[in-house]
Amino acid sequence: MDERFHIIDDYLMIRMPEEIDHHQAAALSEQADRYILEEPVKHIVFDFEDTRFMDSSGVGVVIGRYKKIACFGGNVYAVNADRQIRRIIRISGLKKVLKLVEEDTDE
Amino acid sequence: MNNEIKLEFDAISANESFARVAVAAFVTPVNPTLEELADVKTAVSEAVTNAIIHGYDGRQGKVLLHCILRERTLHIEVKDTGKGIENVEKAMEPLFTTRPELDRSGMGFSFMEAFMDDLQVLSEPGAGTCVVMKKRFADMSSEPHEE
């Protein structure tokens, strides 16, 4: 699972799993927090390329990580979010903190 | 299409995906759109997660999932016999959570409300909680077929 995490400069890149629910969330948060604590991480990029399902547990994962880096001026970004993930981001209000990069083509 | 299923499963997190996939399979005969399917899966996932985290609080228990399909309307009940909710109105407020230490976003009920056409939460402290949801699927039969 560790190949899902990469450090590039002061960015932590997280390749999110196929399904993000409560069952997946705890381990994901725990691993991310280890990188945040041990590496010089300032910003986080959540890559949703593999993700086909996300519920409010996924929103909790993003918000929880954001809280850990926001006090040091860090930002959180989402890449490769499909239509469904973008809907979750919009409806949850996550859009206020999570910056959507590289919009998918239509649909 | 009229159909009905009742499933009872252990309140463990591995069953969250089982529950939403089971409901998705149950509604396939009415050809829901991808978006409708995602709506139902998310709502079921939220309700079952609530039963596991809050209803049983990690203790053993069973979750009962009851689905009825009447024409193009899906009725879902997700029931637990856990600790129940003291204040349902408060629990349903966006961002309200009793478990912030678990990174819960407090958006569970908001998602159920947003993605389903009707949501009712019946609960009694000490007795359990029953979440009743309804979803009407659009009739796409007159539309041209995909592919």
Side-chain angles (χ1 to χ4, degrees), chain A residues 66-82:
Chain A
Y66 172 70
K67 283 181 182 165
K68 290 204 154 57
I69 59 160
C71 48
F72 303 109
N75 291 316
V76 283
Y77 303 90
V79 295
N80 297 318
D82 70 12

Side-chain angles (χ1 to χ4, degrees), chain B residues 63-75:
Chain B
V63 180
L64 189 73
L65 175 68
H66 185 186
C67 301
I68 301 173
L69 195 58
R70 290 277 175 267
E71 306 299 335
R72 303 192 65 81
T73 303
L74 171 70
H75 301 257

Side-chain angles (χ1 to χ4, degrees), chain A residues 19-23 25 29 33 53-57 59-61 63-65 83-84 87-88 91-93, chain B residues 13-14 16-17 20-21 34-35 38-39 41-42 45-46 49 52-53 95 103-105 107-108 110-111 114-115:
Chain A
E19 307 222 307
I20 312 166
D21 60 7
H22 157 243
H23 184 62
S29 298
D33 288 350
F53 177 86
M54 178 166 105
D55 65 15
S56 72
S57 304
V59 176
V61 171
I63 292 178
R65 308 299 69 68
R83 192 161 178 260
Q84 188 54 27
R87 246 177 109 214
I88 295 280
I91 292 171
S92 64
Chain B
S13 64
E16 290 155 7
S17 62
R20 61 178 181 260
V21 170
L34 282 178
E35 189 166 303
D39 290 349
K41 284 171 77 176
T42 308
S45 197
E46 300 295 350
T49 301
I52 294 169
I53 299 183
L95 305 177
D103 264 344
R104 304 306 304 163
S105 64
M107 294 302 293
S110 303
F111 275 15
F115 293 135

Side-chain angles (χ1 to χ4, degrees), chain B residues 11-143:
Chain B
I12 55 172
S13 64
N15 283 334
E16 290 155 7
S17 62
F18 164 75
R20 61 178 181 260
V21 170
V23 178
F26 178 70
V27 298
T28 40
V30 296
N31 279 320
T33 64
L34 282 178
E35 189 166 303
E36 288 169 337
L37 208 51
D39 290 349
V40 169
K41 284 171 77 176
T42 308
V44 169
S45 197
E46 300 295 350
V48 171
T49 301
N50 275 354
I52 294 169
I53 299 183
H54 302 289
Y56 293 114
D57 202 358
R59 286 185 299 274
Q60 280 190 346
K62 302 281 184 192
V63 180
L64 189 73
L65 175 68
H66 185 186
C67 301
I68 301 173
L69 195 58
R70 290 277 175 267
E71 306 299 335
R72 303 192 65 81
T73 303
L74 171 70
H75 301 257
I76 304 178
E77 268 183 39
V78 178
K79 204 166 162 183
D80 69 66
T81 52
K83 71 175 182 209
I85 303 170
E86 292 284 347
N87 186 340
V88 172
E89 214 177 306
K90 183 103 194 139
M92 290 179 74
E93 283 174 13
L95 305 177
F96 176 83
T97 179
T98 52
R99 309 297 298 271
E101 80 283 5
L102 291 182
D103 264 344
R104 304 306 304 163
S105 64
M107 294 302 293
F109 281 127
S110 303
F111 275 15
M112 291 181 234
E113 230 163 10
F115 293 135
M116 302 297 273
D117 293 312
D118 192 49
L119 169 69
Q120 281 179 54
V121 182
L122 314 164
S123 190
E124 209 186 305
T129 300
C130 183
V131 173
V132 185
M133 302 182 281
K134 203 186 279 183
K135 180 82 174 172
R136 277 176 289 276
F137 299 107
D139 194 353
M140 309 294 275
S141 54
S142 53
E143 309 262 317

